C-alpha cells in the first residue's frame, strides 16, 4: 500500500501541487490600490499627451480667451446701454417738466391776451373820440351780471398834454324802478376819491335788489361840490 502511494506521487499521474506565499488582506488592498492608481495616472498622462499632440489645449485656451473678451465687450455694451437709457429717461423727465412749464406759460399768456382784449374792447367801446374839455368822462358802461349785481366801468381822461394831476371824486348813480316806484342807488355810500394822471379807468360791482329795474346810469366827476364832467346812458 505504501509502495503504491509512493509510486503514485513519483509518476506522471501524481497530482499537481502549487506553492503560494499567503499575504494578509490589508496588503492585498494596498497593492491593488497602488496598481489602480498607477494605471489611472498612466491613462491620464496618455490622454493629456494625446491632446497636446493634437493641439486641443491650445485651441481651447484661445477660445476661452476669446469668450472672455466677448463677455467683457458685452458687459461694456450693456453698461453703455444702461447709461444711455438712464440719460434718456432723465431727458424725458426734464422734457416733460419743461413742457408742463410751457403749458402753464401758454395758459398764462392766453389769460393775459384775453385780459388785453377785454381792455381793448373796453377802450374801443368807451372812447367816443370827441370833445375838447381838459377833463372828461370818455366812456361809461354798465351791465347786469346777476339778479342782484351790476358791473360798471368808467374811463376818465385829460385831453390836454402835460395837464396837472386832477384830484376829485367819482360818483356813479343808478336810476330805475322798484316795485313800480322810483328807485336810485350809487356805487358807494359816498363819492370815491380819484387821482387822474392823463387817464384813469375804474370799475366795480354794485348790489341792487333783484326786483329793481335799472333804466339809467350816470357818472359824475366832482371837485368839491362842482361837477367837472358828467356822462349818462340808458340801459
Amino acid at each position: 500500500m505504501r509502495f503504491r502511494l509512493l509510486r503514485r506521487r513519483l509518476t506522471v499521474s501524481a497530482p499537481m501541487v502549487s506553492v503560494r506565499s499567503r499575504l494578509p488582506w490589508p496588503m492585498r488592498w494596498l497593492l491593488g490600490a497602488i496598481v489602480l492608481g498607477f494605471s489611472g495616472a498612466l491613462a491620464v498622462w496618455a490622454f493629456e499627451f494625446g491632446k497636446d499632440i493634437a493641439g486641443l489645449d491650445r485651441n481651447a485656451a484661445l477660445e476661452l480667451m476669446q469668450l472672455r473678451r466677448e463677455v467683457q465687450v458685452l458687459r461694456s455694451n450693456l453698461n453703455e446701454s444702461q447709461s444711455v437709457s438712464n440719460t434718456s429717461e432723465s431727458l424725458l423727465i426734464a422734457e416733460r417738466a419743461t413742457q408742463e412749464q410751457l403749458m402753464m406759460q401758454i395758459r398764462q399768456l392766453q389769460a393775459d391776451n384775453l385780459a388785453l382784449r377785454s381792455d381793448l374792447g373796453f377802450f374801443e367801446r368807451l372812447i367816443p373820440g370827441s370833445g375838447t374839455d381838459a377833463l372828461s368822462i370818455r366812456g361809461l358802461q354798465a351791465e347786469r351780471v346777476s339778479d342782484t349785481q351790476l358791473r360798471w366801468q368808467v374811463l376818465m381822461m385829460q385831453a390836454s398834454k402835460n395837464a396837472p394831476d386832477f384830484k376829485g371824486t367819482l360818483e356813479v348813480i343808478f336810476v330805475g324802478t322798484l316795485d313800480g316806484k322810483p328807485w336810485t342807488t350809487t356805487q358807494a355810500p359816498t363819492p370815491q376819491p380819484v387821482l387822474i394822471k392823463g387817464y384813469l379807468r375804474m370799475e366795480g360791482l354794485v348790489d341792487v335788489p333783484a326786483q329793481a329795474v335799472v333804466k339809467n346810469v350816470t357818472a359824475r366827476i366832482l371837485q368839491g361840490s362842482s361837477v367837472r364832467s358828467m356822462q349818462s346812458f340808458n340801459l
Side-chain angles (χ1 to χ4, degrees):
M1 189 64 179
R2 291 181 180 178
F3 175 75
R4 289 180 178 178
L5 291 175
L6 180 60
R7 188 178 63 179
R8 185 177 180 183
R9 290 180 180 179
L10 294 176
T11 58
V12 179
S13 62
M16 296 182 64
V17 179
S18 61
V19 180
R20 298 180 181 178
S21 60
R22 187 173 183 179
L23 293 175
W25 66 268
M27 295 296 295
R28 295 180 182 178
W29 281 103
L30 178 60
L31 182 60
I34 292 173
V35 173
L36 289 175
F38 179 75
S39 300
L42 183 62
V44 171
W45 174 80
F47 179 73
E48 295 293 335
F49 183 71
K51 288 199 303 180
D52 189 23
I53 293 175
L56 296 176
D57 285 345
R58 290 191 297 271
N59 294 334
L62 292 175
E63 290 179 357
L64 180 60
M65 292 178 61
Q66 184 177 1
L67 289 174
R68 287 178 177 175
R69 286 195 297 268
E70 290 179 357
V71 169
Q72 291 179 356
V73 172
L74 291 175
R75 287 179 178 175
S76 177
N77 294 336
L78 178 61
N79 293 331
E80 291 179 358
S81 300
Q82 289 179 349
S83 177
V84 171
S85 177
N86 295 333
T87 303
S88 300
E89 185 176 359
S90 300
L91 292 175
L92 182 60
I93 293 174
E95 184 178 357
R96 287 178 179 174
T98 303
Q99 187 176 4
E100 291 179 357
Q101 292 180 357
L102 290 176
M103 291 299 296
M104 293 178 61
Q105 293 178 359
I106 290 174
R107 286 193 292 267
Q108 182 63 39
L109 290 175
Q110 289 176 348
D112 294 341
N113 189 23
L114 290 177
L116 290 175
R117 287 184 178 181
S118 177
D119 292 343
L120 179 61
F122 172 77
F123 278 99
E124 289 177 348
R125 289 193 302 269
L126 298 186
I127 299 177
S130 62
T132 58
D133 294 336
L135 175 65
S136 63
I137 297 176
R138 301 296 295 271
L140 173 63
Q141 182 180 358
E143 59 179 347
R144 197 151 192 162
V145 295
S146 67
D147 293 339
T148 59
Q149 279 189 329
L150 280 171
R151 181 189 299 277
W152 58 271
Q153 294 175 320
V154 178
L155 178 64
M156 298 160 281
M157 298 186 67
Q158 292 176 300
S160 59
K161 294 183 179 181
N162 300 323
D165 297 344
F166 175 83
K167 293 182 180 180
T169 57
L170 171 68
E171 184 179 45
V172 183
I173 304 171
F174 303 89
V175 179
T177 60
L178 178 61
D179 296 332
K181 298 180 180 180
W183 169 88
T184 183
T185 188
T186 59
Q187 91 284 8
T190 58
Q192 291 180 258
V194 293
L195 176 61
I196 303 175
K197 298 180 179 181
Y199 74 93
L200 177 64
R201 172 190 172 187
M202 295 185 67
E203 64 179 7
L205 295 173
V206 58
D207 295 329
V208 297
Q211 298 80 11
V213 178
V214 180
K215 297 181 178 181
N216 180 271
V217 181
T218 301
R220 301 191 304 173
I221 300 177
L222 305 174
Q223 191 172 37
S225 58
S226 62
V227 178
R228 296 293 305 273
S229 180
M230 183 176 66
Q231 186 176 1
S232 63
F233 79 98
N234 297 324
L235 290 175

